[in-house]
Amino acid sequence: MIRAIDSHKLNMLRETPVNYAQPDDLQRVGKVFFIGGNLPIYSTLETMYESYCLESSELFHVTFGTAGQFDHNLEMVRQIKRNFSIRLMGRTSYPLSASQLERVYLAGLDVLDISRQAFSNHSEANTAGDGAQWLEALGAAVSAFPRWSIVSTIPVDQATPDEVRATIHDLLGLGVIPLLDITGKDCARDQAETGGLFSFLAAEWHRHRVPLRPVMPLLRLTTPFDIAESSGFLRDAIGKLQDRGVMATSDLRRHLRTSGAQASFDSAGL
C-alpha cells in the first residue's frame, strides 16, 4: 500500500500541524471523523449519524479531555461503539492507569494512541524519568489491548534522528505501532532528514509485519507516504471482508472479557 515519500505532502506536513479535533470539537477530515470526547453525547451522535449517512467514514477518532472528564469520555466511547459499526480510535493527553486502560478497552476503543508528549506534559521528572513512565504505560496498555492495537506518536523535533530510530525499534519490540509527529516546530530539520526518518519507519513496519489497515485512514492524513487508494476491486473487497472479520473477532473477545469481568463481580457480591 505504501509506495514512496511524497515530497510535496512532506513539505505540507512540515509547515502545517495535523488538525486533530480538540476535546470540544467535531470535524471530518478525509475519511476520519474526529470527535471531541467532552461534547454532549446524544446530540453529537445525532450529528455524526446525519453526516455519516451523507458520506461514510473509515475511522472514528475520539480526543479525550482532562482526567476529570474521563467518565464522560468513556461513555462517549461506549455510545459510539453501540451505535456505529466502525473502528474506533482514541487519544489522551494524560497517562491512564491500568484500570482505566481496561475500562477504555471494554467500552469499545479498538486503537489507543499513547503519545510521548502526554508524559512530557504531565510528569515532573526529567526526560529519562518520564520516558521510563511512558514505556511502562505502553507495557500496561499492550496487556489490556490486543496486539498491535496501541499506537504511540513520537514528536521528532524533541530528539535526534538516532534517538527517533531507537525509539521506533523499542516500540515495535513492545508490539506498539510507532507514528511520527512533524508539526510546524519541526521545520528546522531539513526535508531529506525528515524523509529519511519516515522511510526508516516504513521499512521497520514492513520488517515487523505490522498490520496497518486499522490506522490507514489516519496515515493518509498524518504521513507523507504515497499510499495506494485501491489495489483492484476484488482484492479491495477481500481486504474489507478480512478487516470486518478482524473487527468481529475483536468485538467477540471484548464481549467475552466483559462477561467474565461481570461474572467475577457477581460472584464477589459487588
Side-chain angles (χ1 to χ4, degrees), residues 110-185:
D110 298 299
V111 183
L112 176 63
D113 182 359
I114 300 179
S115 172
R116 176 71 172 81
Q117 192 65 38
F119 289 81
S120 299
N121 289 341
H122 291 269
S123 174
E124 296 180 357
N126 57 27
T127 301
D130 60 47
Q133 292 179 13
W134 172 54
L135 293 175
E136 182 180 349
L138 289 172
V142 167
S143 298
F145 280 71
R147 184 170 174 79
W148 300 121
S149 296
I150 301 300
V151 170
S152 193
T153 304
I154 308 165
V156 300
D157 62 314
Q158 297 181 9
T160 67
D162 285 343
E163 288 171 339
V164 172
R165 293 186 183 94
T167 301
I168 290 171
H169 181 269
D170 291 343
L171 294 184
L172 289 168
L174 289 172
V176 174
I177 302 177
L179 301 180
L180 298 181
D181 176 27
I182 53 169
T183 64
K185 296 178 182 178

Side-chain angles (χ1 to χ4, degrees), residues 19-258:
N19 193 22
Y20 286 97
Q22 296 301 307
D24 297 304
D25 295 337
L26 181 68
Q27 62 184 13
R28 178 199 294 277
V29 183
K31 293 291 185 179
V32 183
F33 214 139
F34 291 100
I35 306 144
N38 290 353
L39 292 168
I41 294 172
Y42 294 106
S43 60
T44 300
L45 289 176
E46 290 177 359
T47 302
M48 289 170 59
Y49 181 76
E50 292 172 358
S51 179
Y52 187 72
C53 288
L54 294 174
E55 183 180 358
S56 64
S57 300
E58 295 178 354
L59 179 70
F60 285 172
H61 184 289
V62 178
T63 301
F64 281 49
T66 62
Q69 293 287 332
F70 177 77
D71 287 337
H72 180 85
N73 299 160
L74 193 69
E75 184 60 21
M76 175 71 84
V77 169
R78 189 176 291 114
Q79 292 301 327
I80 292 173
K81 194 64 174 181
R82 286 177 179 174
N83 288 278
F84 294 91
S85 179
I86 192 169
R87 187 169 276 108
L88 186 56
M89 182 175 181
R91 193 184 209 201
T92 67
S93 60
Y94 59 90
L96 297 178
S97 67
S99 62
Q100 287 176 320
L101 288 166
E102 182 75 6
R103 291 175 67 193
V104 164
Y105 172 70
L106 295 180
L109 208 64
D110 298 299
V111 183
L112 176 63
D113 182 359
I114 300 179
S115 172
R116 176 71 172 81
Q117 192 65 38
F119 289 81
S120 299
N121 289 341
H122 291 269
S123 174
E124 296 180 357
N126 57 27
T127 301
D130 60 47
Q133 292 179 13
W134 172 54
L135 293 175
E136 182 180 349
L138 289 172
V142 167
S143 298
F145 280 71
R147 184 170 174 79
W148 300 121
S149 296
I150 301 300
V151 170
S152 193
T153 304
I154 308 165
V156 300
D157 62 314
Q158 297 181 9
T160 67
D162 285 343
E163 288 171 339
V164 172
R165 293 186 183 94
T167 301
I168 290 171
H169 181 269
D170 291 343
L171 294 184
L172 289 168
L174 289 172
V176 174
I177 302 177
L179 301 180
L180 298 181
D181 176 27
I182 53 169
T183 64
K185 296 178 182 178
D186 186 51
C187 290
R189 184 161 291 165
D190 64 48
Q191 183 184 30
E193 193 172 57
T194 306
L197 290 175
F198 276 100
S199 295
F200 177 81
L201 176 63
E204 289 299 291
W205 282 341
H206 179 73
R207 188 167 71 87
H208 287 81
R209 299 184 178 182
V210 178
L212 295 176
R213 190 177 187 91
V215 294
M216 190 59 71
L218 189 65
L219 297 185
R220 292 191 181 102
L221 299 177
T222 62
T223 70
F225 297 121
D226 179 11
I227 300 174
E229 292 294 329
S230 176
S231 53
F233 176 78
L234 181 58
R235 185 173 296 180
D236 192 49
I238 292 173
K240 288 181 179 179
L241 287 174
Q242 290 174 336
D243 192 48
R244 287 292 178 184
V246 169
M247 289 184 63
T249 301
S250 178
D251 288 342
L252 176 59
R253 287 175 178 168
R254 181 182 289 112
H255 172 72
L256 293 174
R257 269 173 64 174
T258 304

